[in-house]
Amino acid sequence: AAIGGFAILNRTIKWGGDGHLDLVTATDKGASCFDCVEKATRWIYQSPCPVKGAAFNDTDGDGKPELLLARRDGCVIALTPDGQSRLLHQVLEEITGLAALDGSQGLRYAVALRGRLRLYDRAWQLVGETARLIRRIEAVPAAEEDLLLIHAPNGRVELVSI
């Protein structure tokens, strides 16, 4: 079984601690983790409201990545490999996108809100904000600098250095 809905993120990763390859899926309805070796669902997270963005990153410094989900209600939660969730941050506005940047300036988070893009540091302290209409954001992996792909409502995509 898996979570239904519109896919936001699909990633295969050795995540469960047993060396098995897992398929982790985040959709607008939640997230699920499927063990590809055992061919069994490890867990399903049903979100209480629509999920608008997802990313993988080590948020607590333990060396293991967590799945981050940005919910429309303004909550960013982290899901561990065993499916446990915890609140990372809450803004008092509707979130429309999320990207985790782990480049030359350390771990940072880009959060898209209605008409704005906010940049937070690892401790979720606000480090910058700009006015932008954004439909979706995503980090560019393995770049020398922190790069974001910004998808505008008019269909235009822009590569931005952060």
Side-chain angles (χ1 to χ4, degrees):
I3 194 80
F6 176 75
I8 298 170
L9 177 140
N10 283 304
R11 175 148 323 148
T12 52
I13 183 173
K14 289 184 179 178
W15 198 38
D18 55 11
H20 292 184
L21 195 61
D22 296 316
L23 173 62
V24 179
T25 302
T27 75
D28 58 337
K29 297 183 184 209
S32 62
C33 181
F34 181 81
D35 184 322
C36 297
V37 174
E38 298 292 328
K39 296 182 177 35
T41 300
R42 288 188 190 268
W43 52 260
I44 293 176
Y45 168 80
Q46 298 229 2
S47 181
C49 64
V51 173
K52 300 306 255 176
F56 263 104
N57 217 305
D58 179 10
T59 62
D60 56 13
D62 67 357
K64 301 175 201 158
E66 289 83 33
L67 174 63
L68 284 66
L69 298 180
R71 300 187 327 213
R72 187 175 71 189
D73 65 358
C75 294
V76 178
I77 64 162
L79 291 166
T80 61
D82 62 359
Q84 298 298 308
S85 66
R86 67 179 161 68
L87 180 67
L88 282 181
H89 185 69
Q90 185 170 13
V91 294
L92 301 175
E93 303 177 54
E94 181 178 335
I95 294 176
T96 60
L98 170 73
L101 304 162
D102 198 2
S104 59
Q105 297 185 39
L107 178 60
R108 298 186 299 165
Y109 305 101
V111 177
L113 306 166
R114 293 232 175 250
R116 288 189 322 290
L117 177 67
R118 284 188 182 162
L119 190 63
Y120 294 92
D121 66 13
R122 176 180 211 103
W124 288 96
Q125 298 298 311
L126 183 65
V127 294
E129 182 173 331
T130 184
R132 286 200 106 114
L133 289 175
I134 298 169
R135 184 174 53 89
R136 188 167 59 98
I137 58 174
E138 57 188 292
V140 177
E144 298 262 331
E145 58 186 312
D146 289 335
L147 298 173
L148 277 179
L149 281 177
I150 297 178
H151 302 257
N154 64 3
R156 191 171 157 210
V157 179
E158 184 179 353
L159 183 65
V160 176
S161 176
I162 301 292

